Amino acid sequence: MATDLEKAPESLQQLVADTDTGGRNPRGLSKAVIFAVSLGWALFQLWYASPLPFALGFGILNDTEARALHLGLALFLAFTAWPASRYSPRDRIPVVDWVLAFAGAFAGAYLLLFYGELALRPGQPNTMDIVVASAGLVLLLEATRRAIGWPMSLLALIFIAYAMLGPYMPEVLSHKGASLNRLLSHLWLTTEGVYGIALGVSTSTIFVYVLFGTLLDRAGGGNYMMQVSFAALGHLRGGPAKVAVVSSALNGMISGSSVSNVVSGGIFTIPLMKKAGYGGVKAGAIETMSSVNGQIMPPVMGAAAFLMVEYVGIPYSEIVKSAILPASLSYIGLLYIVHLEALKLRMNPIIRRAPRPWSTKALRFGLGLSGSVLVVCALYYLLAAIKSLLGAAAPWAAGAVVLALYGISIHQAAHSPDLPEDIDIENPQALDTWPTVRAGLHFLMPIGTLIWCLMVEEMSPALSAFWAIAVLVVLMLTQRPLIARLRGEPSGARWMQGAADVIGGLTDGSRNMIGIAAATATAGIIVGGITLTGLGLRMTEFVEFVSRGNVMAMLMFIAFVCLVLGLGVPTTANYVLVATLMAPVVVELGAQSGLVIPLIAVHLFVFYYGIMGDITPPVGLATFAAAAISGEDAIKTGVQGALYALRTVVLPFIWIFNPQLLLLEIDSIVELVVVIVACTLAMLLFSALTMGWFRVKLRAWETLLLAIAVALLFRPDWFMDRIAAPYRDAPADQAFAIARDAPDGGRMVMVIQGTTIEGEDVTKTVALRLGDRPADGAADGRRRLTESGLTLVPLAGETQIAQVKFGSRAQKSGFEQGWAVQSLRLPSDRPNPHWFYLPALALTALVWVTQGRRLRAV
């Protein structure tokens, strides 16, 4: 099955290839070599992610060995798939690139090939080690220049120069410097540099998720999501723009690339938006924003999201939970923006569907929604019952359930019309929603498998992706033959077509990973330079100096840094750099200001602003792709996209101060529902403010009232803080009793005081997330604190922090060994801040009614 990308014009396909997979397409033996290495890389990554090595007892690689093989294969493909320059041949591989490819493969895999010898002489590199490390760094930087662009390589060179020229730097940045041997050993022969966390996550997790996306797209999942969106929304006012928003949100689970997402969907939606009346600039901006935001949409987010698992130290399922509401709000806001644009431009639907009474529409929607909820709940409780009742036989029974569901969905597909392979731009036809959904229900099974493994079984991200890919491969091999059999058609050739799709998806996934592997490896150079020089410790002073201790100024500075870096550095590397340097600084300076900022909030802040680099002019690649389709100026498209992006840009500042937006600090289902409804309304009103339009054009006083309503809905705590303090102080010696009585996952806030290594007396407010209470109910406060990594002891009339376990929640929360706990901060008995939602609703209703009168008068 052709992917949506393969339907794009050749020039756009070349743009995506130059950006994501390499612009070279050789013939003959060279093509066969690239194909074989790409296929082998994908199969190795599947093997590494699976439980098979441990089950069978062979082919087991430790983390360092796997990272080395991962990088070696990536470097080989980087030099064979990417031309050195625009003037280099595309249809053949020059001899020099063959030499560089094999040299890169050897240097990248050096830690695997000589693992035993290197382990026997740690920190004592010989001549060969230094030569290989030197060549490896040069080759990695060149591969990164080809696959990512010169800014990434230049940034890495700056950090290498900084590591070696430390004594000659200004006093605020100076350090003793590093010798060439020490630098090379640190960056290439240990796991502190190139082979560090970023490359490790690329090896263990990112690859299999990219593979999942390319396979699902090959299977037809991308086209299915586009067609469902078109069937549900294409007939509405501004329908093509709404299709772009929803389909891009769904395709965010498939494509990790903003550029390919723009091209694969934009070739249909941008011309349709122009036809509907949006104009080329707005059409390109809408598609760009929709596609770029696909990286923030769970369950499969951008590659940087998987790095958070290591940096924040929480399961990926927790990251998904925290990210789901902001991502949904962003897409809801964009959907409302395109609706308001349609109202302002007085558009009419470009597709006519037989009119139905509102009662019929409401009944159909209610039945569809309730039926979907009932099916999901029934499946959840069925699988939960199987797991609890059948013990060791549960996986087989669950597999039988999945197989039965697959049979039902294939039966539905066989008795539904085939989905169109594209959308007729010149004469678009309305599709019925339910028949379109029925035709591809089986595509939801691998996605459901992924979500189940991640969120319910709480498997590792890599293992979850492996089982989802296993289900997907079975689907790809069997869907066409089974549908043909059920329709009474011959099925022989369709088996081979399914196999070809699987192999094509595997090789496509490998080629999509080359740039990501190079970027994460080069990000390791930057992180290695930071750890080698101690730059991270100096950043607190620097950021404090720049922001003058103001948390808002500090956040704006970090947002600016992310946006500037995003002009030339991919999101993953942008995240690694800023998260390594800035995230601990924000938490630390916030704590010193008495503000408890959850670490996940800071990392998502950096993640969101890193993604904005794909939009903001003058370099946003996704914007250039959209402009190439619309035929409009890329800068104008980028400026319009940045205006639409305001609703996404504002969210990170809100959740820093109101963690409930990340579904943190929520104690009940009722509170959860209230927060979701309030935040959704706030996003709709904020979108209306940015457009200057609600039901009709906003007047100045209406704008002011809606702005106040948005503030009340997004930050009710700020208004309540003006009336009553959120915390009351309690003596530090009550820590064990409070920890004992805290609920599962409860949070303890403490004010601690001590002396930094620079000799400065500091007081800061920190919070510790506790684990679950024991099943027998015999809670022990001291034990619960210890399990979270914190050991407290009464000493000389004070409560002292005796130990902070390395890598624990306590360490990540900012607790310092040897400091004293001054006091505990307990929630006060003040009224619930959510009472401020009522005046917000009243202000919104007032504007709604007054605009309704003007609307009727027109």
Side-chain angles (χ1 to χ4, degrees):
M1 178 178 289
T3 64
D4 289 334
L5 185 58
E6 292 170 342
K7 304 166 191 171
E10 187 175 343
S11 60
L12 290 173
Q13 292 187 43
Q14 187 62 45
L15 173 64
V16 176
D18 290 339
T19 305
D20 293 337
T21 62
R24 184 177 279 151
N25 187 22
R27 298 185 295 269
L29 181 61
S30 298
K31 182 174 184 178
V33 170
I34 294 177
F35 172 83
V37 174
S38 299
L39 181 60
W41 191 13
L43 293 174
F44 156 69
Q45 295 289 167
L46 282 175
W47 173 266
Y48 183 65
S50 75
L52 293 176
F54 298 98
L56 300 177
F58 71 90
I60 301 174
L61 298 177
N62 64 33
D63 290 346
T64 304
E65 292 171 327
R67 294 173 190 180
L69 182 55
H70 180 83
L71 180 58
L73 292 169
L75 290 178
F76 181 88
L77 289 172
F79 287 109
T80 52
W82 256 279
S85 70
R86 71 174 73 176
Y87 306 108
S88 300
R90 261 59 174 172
D91 58 349
R92 61 183 177 85
I93 302 175
V95 173
V96 65
D97 281 357
W98 280 117
V99 174
L100 294 176
F102 282 106
F106 176 77
Y110 188 70
L111 265 64
L112 170 66
L113 299 173
F114 298 95
Y115 185 80
E117 293 87 335
L118 291 168
L120 295 176
R121 44 184 166 83
Q124 298 176 328
N126 59 24
T127 303
M128 183 177 178
D129 296 340
I130 296 301
V131 170
V132 171
S134 302
L137 281 177
V138 173
L139 291 167
L140 174 59
L141 292 175
E142 168 59 12
T144 302
R145 183 195 67 80
R146 294 188 183 198
I148 303 299
W150 63 264
M152 182 74 187
S153 296
L154 180 60
L155 187 62
L157 283 171
I158 290 172
F159 274 85
I160 291 174
Y162 174 69
M164 299 185 67
L165 301 176
Y168 309 102
M169 292 287 170
E171 182 177 355
V172 69
L173 296 175
S174 66
H175 59 93
K176 66 179 182 179
S179 66
L180 180 62
N181 279 16
R182 184 180 174 212
L183 175 68
L184 292 172
S185 178
H186 187 80
L187 293 183
W188 200 267
L189 303 176
T190 70
T191 56
E192 297 295 323
V194 169
Y195 298 93
I197 290 175
L199 186 64
V201 175
S202 176
T203 306
S204 64
T205 306
I206 297 174
F207 194 108
V208 284
Y209 278 86
V210 170
L211 205 58
F212 175 78
T214 54
L215 286 168
L216 187 55
D217 194 31
R218 278 273 177 176
N223 181 58
Y224 172 67
M225 293 173 183
M226 172 69 77
Q227 298 295 343
V228 169
S229 303
F230 191 73
L233 303 170
H235 63 285
L236 301 177
R237 188 197 301 256
K242 294 170 182 176
V243 170
V245 174
V246 174
S247 63
S248 293
L250 296 174
N251 273 320
M253 296 184 289
I254 296 178
S255 174
S257 166
S258 301
V259 178
S260 65
N261 204 348
V262 166
V263 173
S264 61
I267 56 173
F268 303 118
T269 59
I270 290 176
L272 285 172
M273 281 189 271
K274 292 175 68 175
K275 186 174 182 178
Y278 281 97
V281 170
K282 290 182 178 179
I286 290 168
E287 180 59 47
T288 301
M289 274 306 311
S290 304
S291 300
V292 169
N293 276 14
Q295 294 188 61
I296 66 177
M297 178 58 71
V300 182
M301 300 163 66
F306 298 103
L307 289 164
M308 287 187 213
V309 175
E310 301 295 331
Y311 284 121
V312 183
I314 62 176
Y316 184 70
S317 58
E318 293 295 321
I319 292 173
V320 167
K321 291 175 185 177
S322 293
I324 185 66
L325 182 56
S328 300
L329 291 177
S330 182
Y331 270 107
I332 289 170
L334 184 56
L335 197 63
Y336 191 49
I337 282 173
V338 301
H339 178 69
L340 293 177
E341 287 280 25
L343 293 178
K344 290 172 66 176
L345 297 172
R346 301 183 183 276
M347 294 181 190
N348 292 313
I350 64 172
I351 299 173
R352 295 294 179 182
R353 181 187 276 182
R356 295 183 182 130
W358 277 104
S359 58
T360 303
K361 293 179 181 179
L363 179 62
R364 288 166 65 95
F365 178 78
L367 289 175
L369 180 62
S370 60
S372 300
V373 171
L374 287 174
V375 169
V376 170
C377 291
L379 283 174
Y380 173 80
Y381 287 112
L382 174 61
L383 292 172
I386 287 173
K387 182 179 176 181
S388 62
L389 296 176
L390 298 185
W396 297 100
V401 171
V402 172
L403 192 61
L405 289 173
Y406 181 53
I408 294 170
S409 61
I410 286 292
H411 182 271
Q412 292 291 317
H415 291 82
S416 301
D418 285 334
L419 293 173
E421 292 197 3
D422 54 26
I423 297 173
D424 187 345
I425 297 172
E426 297 301 325
N427 187 28
Q429 300 297 317
L431 299 174
D432 287 332
T433 305
W434 175 236
T436 306
V437 171
R438 285 176 53 198
L441 283 172
H442 52 291
F443 292 123
L444 302 180
M445 297 197 60
I447 299 173
T449 301
L450 179 66
I451 295 173
W452 178 270
C453 292
L454 273 176
M455 308 300 293
V456 179
E457 297 295 334
E458 295 190 347
M459 297 180 184
S460 69
L463 188 57
S464 300
F466 169 78
W467 288 118
I469 289 173
V471 171
L472 181 53
V473 168
V474 172
L475 180 152
M476 295 175 73
L477 292 173
T478 61
Q479 60 170 334
R480 292 186 187 86
L482 290 177
I483 290 174
R485 285 283 183 90
L486 289 171
R487 290 175 176 175
E489 301 171 355
S491 60
R494 304 184 190 234
W495 292 99
M496 296 303 297
Q497 187 179 357
D501 282 342
V502 171
I503 294 172
L506 293 174
T507 55
D508 286 350
S510 293
R511 294 196 63 162
N512 282 327
M513 268 302 300
I514 301 170
I516 297 175
T520 51
T522 305
I525 297 176
I526 298 169
V527 174
I530 293 170
T531 57
L532 185 62
T533 60
L535 179 62
L537 298 175
R538 295 177 177 84
M539 286 307 297
T540 302
E541 296 179 7
F542 178 73
V543 175
E544 188 173 21
F545 171 77
V546 170
S547 64
R548 300 294 182 182
N550 184 284
V551 175
M552 182 61 73
M554 174 176 57
L555 292 172
M556 294 182 69
F557 172 73
I558 292 172
F560 175 76
V561 170
C562 288
L563 289 175
V564 171
L565 285 174
L567 296 179
V569 175
T571 302
T572 304
N574 191 340
Y575 168 77
V576 170
L577 174 59
V578 182
T580 303
L581 283 175
M582 302 291 192
V585 176
V586 175
V587 174
E588 177 67 23
L589 295 182
Q592 293 181 21
S593 302
L595 179 66
V596 178
I597 303 177
L599 191 57
I600 180 62
V602 181
H603 281 264
L604 283 172
F605 183 99
V606 173
F607 180 48
Y608 266 54
Y609 274 95
I611 287 171
M612 290 299 107
D614 281 344
I615 303 167
T616 49
V619 187
L621 291 176
T623 300
F624 279 92
I629 299 172
S630 66
E632 299 288 346
D633 182 74
I635 300 300
K636 291 181 180 178
T637 302
V639 171
Q640 184 67 53
L643 176 63
Y644 290 152
L646 288 176
R647 81 210 185 285
T648 302
V649 167
V650 74
L651 287 174
F653 283 94
I654 295 169
W655 72 56
I656 289 289
F657 300 100
N658 182 15
Q660 286 193 324
L661 193 63
L662 302 179
L663 304 186
L664 303 175
E665 303 176 25
I666 292 179
D667 300 323
S668 67
I669 296 295
V670 173
E671 186 177 21
L672 173 65
V673 172
V674 169
V675 167
I676 290 174
V677 171
C679 288
T680 301
L681 178 58
M683 176 52 67
L684 295 175
L685 296 179
F686 182 81
S687 300
L689 288 173
T690 63
M691 299 301 295
W693 194 280
F694 194 28
R695 301 180 74 181
V696 293
K697 186 176 180 179
L698 286 170
R699 291 174 175 170
W701 68 271
E702 293 171 336
T703 300
L704 177 62
L705 292 185
L706 289 187
I708 296 172
V710 169
L712 289 166
L713 291 167
F714 269 142
R715 288 294 316 277
D717 55 311
W718 186 88
F719 293 92
M720 185 57 73
D721 290 347
R722 310 280 79 79
I723 300 173
Y727 296 106
R728 59 181 176 84
D729 289 336
D733 57 13
Q734 294 183 13
F736 298 136
I738 292 171
R740 179 195 63 209
D741 299 332
D744 291 348
R747 193 178 73 150
M748 286 187 64
V749 180
M750 308 182 192
V751 179
I752 62 175
Q753 184 179 39
T755 304
T756 65
I757 58 175
E758 292 85 8
E760 181 181 358
D761 291 332
V762 172
T763 300
K764 59 182 183 179
T765 305
V766 290
L768 179 64
R769 183 73 59 185
L770 301 174
D772 293 344
R773 295 161 59 89
D776 58 7
D780 181 346
R782 187 188 300 270
R783 178 182 170 187
R784 292 189 74 187
L785 289 171
T786 303
E787 288 174 347
S788 298
L790 184 66
T791 301
L792 302 180
V793 295
L795 184 65
E798 291 185 328
T799 300
Q800 296 280 341
I801 301 175
Q803 183 181 7
V804 180
K805 187 177 179 181
F806 178 76
S808 65
R809 289 195 293 269
Q811 186 199 41
K812 294 179 184 295
S813 299
F815 285 86
E816 304 280 357
Q817 189 166 314
W819 287 29
V821 179
Q822 270 195 336
S823 63
L824 307 175
R825 308 200 73 188
L826 305 180
S828 64
D829 296 328
R830 69 177 187 174
N832 193 318
H834 295 165
W835 283 110
F836 281 100
Y837 291 158
L838 295 179
L841 293 175
L843 293 175
T844 304
L846 176 61
V847 175
W848 178 272
V849 170
T850 56
Q851 289 213 330
R853 291 173 180 170
R854 283 163 48 204
L855 183 63
R856 288 190 293 270
V858 173

